[in-house]
Amino acid sequence: KQWYQRRVAITAGHMYLGGCEEQVFRSKNYPIHGVPQKKIVYPISKKHDCRHTFGENYVYLACSGLCRSSVCPLVPVTRDDCSGNIPQRTFSLAKNSYLTVVTPTGRNYSADLFACKNKNCVTYDKVCDLIDDCNDGSDEVNCSNHFECNDSGEYIVLTKVCDGKLDCFDSTDECNAMCTKHVIDGPAVLGWLAGVFGIVILITNGGVMYSVISKVRKLKKKKDRLRLCVDTTA
């Protein structure tokens, strides 16, 4: 129990040939008075491909300089942050120069917080996890592990891009330059009928209406037309 309080395993590193290494993890605010140091354990390798890693694992690797091309998504958390969703905040001195926000975890305190642009804060497991947890998209901005659908604002894993299946509500995961296809707009009335038909199918199959309607509204702000995917190599 004490071992896991002090160390965070990035992956099942002991299953890899060559074993594991560990190092002290330092966020953008460390050192912080009253917050113990955290050690991460990871498979022995100079650099890791973090494009298929998510949440706190992505944060620990990217912010420890262990990713090949991914940058650290964290920013310093100051006393003005987290007021949106943590009204009763606790502060501690960071880097002997400014106050940062910490949260109680049993007998200790933790500083594993990501500062959203809208003054909310989320924990590391909600950063770069394909979900807009901040409600302003800032927790998914500096992440190299996803594809953002252009109009609907969804996030999907990179392996779903150009795989022949439409995963984005706006079809942009298959209709883009990487897939050698582009989107053209059909007649507006066809787009309206297609949207109605799709919603009817989702209702009869028990789909979640709130999610569908919100995505349709986002698309209607762009263009209320049927979008067609055309191969640019033809």
Side-chain angles (χ1 to χ4, degrees):
K1 183 177 180 181
Q2 183 178 5
W3 189 88
Y4 281 103
Q5 287 176 345
R6 293 170 43 240
R7 292 170 173 82
V8 178
I10 297 299
T11 60
H14 58 281
M15 299 298 291
Y16 287 71
L17 293 176
C20 307
E21 292 180 336
E22 69 176 33
Q23 72 178 49
V24 175
F25 174 74
R26 300 182 186 276
S27 73
K28 295 290 185 178
N29 297 308
Y30 274 89
I32 303 173
H33 287 275
V35 178
Q37 291 183 332
K38 179 178 294 184
K39 290 186 177 181
I40 61 172
V41 180
Y42 56 92
I44 294 176
S45 176
K46 292 182 179 180
K47 295 289 182 177
H48 297 266
D49 185 356
C50 298
R51 294 176 299 171
H52 309 294
T53 306
F54 307 92
E56 60 184 356
N57 288 349
Y58 183 94
V59 171
Y60 289 135
L61 285 172
C63 297
S64 298
L66 299 173
C67 294
R68 293 174 188 168
S69 58
S70 304
V71 298
C72 178
L74 299 181
V75 295
V77 180
T78 67
R79 62 176 299 173
D80 297 324
D81 294 316
C82 308
S83 58
N85 59 343
I86 308 179
Q88 301 296 327
R89 292 166 293 163
T90 303
F91 303 101
S92 184
L93 187 63
K95 296 184 176 180
N96 292 321
S97 60
Y98 62 91
L99 291 179
T100 188
V101 181
V102 296
T103 55
T105 55
R107 296 181 180 180
N108 297 317
Y109 286 88
S110 171
D112 294 354
L113 293 172
F114 174 86
C116 309
K117 289 184 177 180
N118 59 6
K119 297 302 180 182
N120 286 340
C121 282
V122 297
T123 50
Y124 289 170
D125 60 315
K126 298 184 182 300
V127 179
C128 300
D129 66 341
L130 307 181
I131 301 173
D132 178 11
D133 297 287
C134 283
N135 293 322
D136 64 1
S138 56
D139 56 305
E140 300 297 318
V141 171
N142 296 313
C143 308
S144 62
N145 60 355
H146 65 230
F147 175 87
E148 182 179 1
C149 306
N150 288 356
D151 294 344
S152 56
E154 303 160 275
Y155 300 98
I156 63 173
V157 294
L158 297 176
T159 53
K160 290 188 176 182
V161 180
C162 304
D163 66 345
K165 300 178 181 178
L166 295 178
D167 297 288
C168 287
F169 200 78
D170 58 9
S171 306
T172 50
D173 59 309
E174 300 299 322
C175 302
N176 56 61
M178 292 184 295
C179 307
T180 65
K181 296 179 180 179
H182 69 276
V183 175
I184 62 173
D185 293 318
V189 63
L190 291 180
W192 183 83
L193 289 174
V196 172
F197 182 69
I199 291 175
V200 170
I201 292 176
L202 287 169
I203 292 175
T204 56
N205 286 278
V208 181
M209 284 303 301
Y210 177 81
S211 175
V212 174
I213 291 174
S214 64
K215 291 175 182 177
V216 169
R217 284 176 177 171
K218 288 181 180 179
L219 291 176
K220 287 174 74 67
K221 290 180 181 179
K222 298 288 183 177
K223 279 191 177 181
D224 191 14
R225 293 180 178 273
L226 178 65
R227 313 196 80 186
L228 304 176
C229 196
V230 180
D231 194 339
T232 57
T233 60

